[in-house]
Amino acid sequence: MIKGAIFDLDGTLLDSMPIWDKAGEVFLHNLGIEAEPDLAKVMYSMSMTEGAEFLKERYCLDMDVEAIITGINHTIEDFYFYQVQLKEGVEQFLKDMQQAGIKMAVATSCDRQVFARALERLNVINRFDGIFTCTEIGSGKEKPDIYLAAAKHMGTLPMDTWVFEDALFALKSAKDTGFRTVGVFDASNHANIEKIKRTSDIYLEKLNDFNVFLVKASS
């Protein structure tokens, strides 16, 4: 039975992963610091707070963690405010899910002040029963805390709740805690596609057909 759904934001609902590949690098560049190669991969599974703590220690930044988070957010917020779009099919998929009476929540590593205006601009913010961020929860998605908080808010059990994610580590975290999982394709995770498919209960190239998901989830 499908009673609830928890959606990742970047790479699952929003076509936004390219901006994150450069966020840390651009932030450091603005400070006159050259970032290490593949910094985005190093920071990939971190929450905003964890990423800021990492940058502070690794690059000996004379800034507190909150200032680093603010600086990173400033490098990406214009993109979210004015440019980022939903991935193909997402708007209708969310509408169909809501009409089916399935409760929905967002679980994201992005900070609320960055994405909230984007969800309002894209007219989807009212589709969700709750929106949860790793910063506010206090841990990244390598731990299941954010999914458990979202399910508790919706009043659904993990076994009746589907987690939609594009990242392998997040899918593993959710599945190991008893959630049903939907792997969603995003080019940023191409190297892990086969592992994502094996980890997911359902794998979808796009969130563009609710009925396809419903049939697979009910089988």
Side-chain angles (χ1 to χ4, degrees):
M1 179 176 287
I2 309 167
K3 294 185 178 179
I6 301 170
F7 291 90
D8 168 56
L9 198 60
D10 297 298
T12 300
L13 297 182
L14 297 181
D15 190 10
S16 54
M17 288 308 295
I19 196 70
W20 285 101
D21 289 342
K22 295 291 185 181
E25 181 180 337
V26 171
F27 169 71
L28 291 173
H29 176 77
N30 291 340
L31 296 176
I33 299 170
E34 183 178 354
E36 63 196 84
D38 297 325
L39 178 62
K41 292 181 180 179
V42 175
M43 298 177 63
Y44 183 68
S45 65
M46 299 178 188
S47 68
M48 288 293 289
T49 300
E50 291 166 342
E53 290 171 346
F54 168 81
L55 291 176
K56 179 177 175 63
E57 181 177 351
R58 178 67 66 93
Y59 293 94
C60 301
L61 301 182
D62 187 21
M63 306 169 66
D64 62 32
V65 168
E66 288 302 318
I68 295 171
I69 291 174
T70 298
I72 294 173
N73 284 338
H74 282 331
T75 68
I76 60 176
E77 61 187 11
D78 280 355
F79 173 75
Y80 278 85
F81 289 177
Y82 305 113
Q83 299 179 50
V84 72
Q85 297 296 317
L86 295 169
K87 294 180 77 172
E88 181 183 344
V90 163
E91 183 175 10
Q92 187 63 46
F93 192 94
L94 296 177
K95 180 180 179 180
D96 291 344
M97 184 163 277
Q98 188 177 49
Q99 289 179 342
I102 299 170
K103 294 181 178 180
M104 294 183 288
V106 168
T108 177
S109 298
C110 189
D111 275 1
R112 192 177 297 270
Q113 70 265 28
V114 175
F115 67 76
R117 192 184 298 185
L119 295 185
E120 291 172 358
R121 173 174 57 82
L122 296 167
N123 297 314
V124 295
I125 196 165
N126 291 328
R127 299 286 184 197
F128 303 106
D129 295 275
I131 298 177
F132 298 82
T133 75
C134 289
T135 298
E136 292 165 355
I137 292 296
S139 62
K141 290 183 178 179
E142 74 282 354
K143 297 180 181 178
D145 300 10
I146 193 168
Y147 305 120
L148 292 169
K152 181 178 180 180
H153 178 81
M154 293 188 295
T156 62
L157 297 173
M159 69 179 72
D160 300 322
T161 308
W162 290 77
V163 173
F164 292 71
E165 282 277 1
D166 66 301
L168 177 61
F169 76 96
L171 287 163
K172 285 182 175 178
S173 177
K175 188 162 188 172
D176 289 346
T177 312
F179 289 93
R180 307 298 299 279
T181 55
V182 183
V184 181
F185 174 79
D186 189 81
S188 65
N189 288 309
H190 186 266
N192 288 321
I193 288 299
E194 293 307 315
K195 291 180 180 178
I196 288 171
K197 289 179 179 179
R198 291 195 295 270
T199 301
S200 306
D201 293 301
I202 296 174
Y203 178 78
L204 299 174
E205 291 286 340
K206 298 176 181 178
L207 295 182
N208 62 350
D209 194 326
F210 173 70
N211 289 325
V212 168
F213 162 71
L214 195 61
V215 169
K216 289 184 177 182
S218 301
S219 60

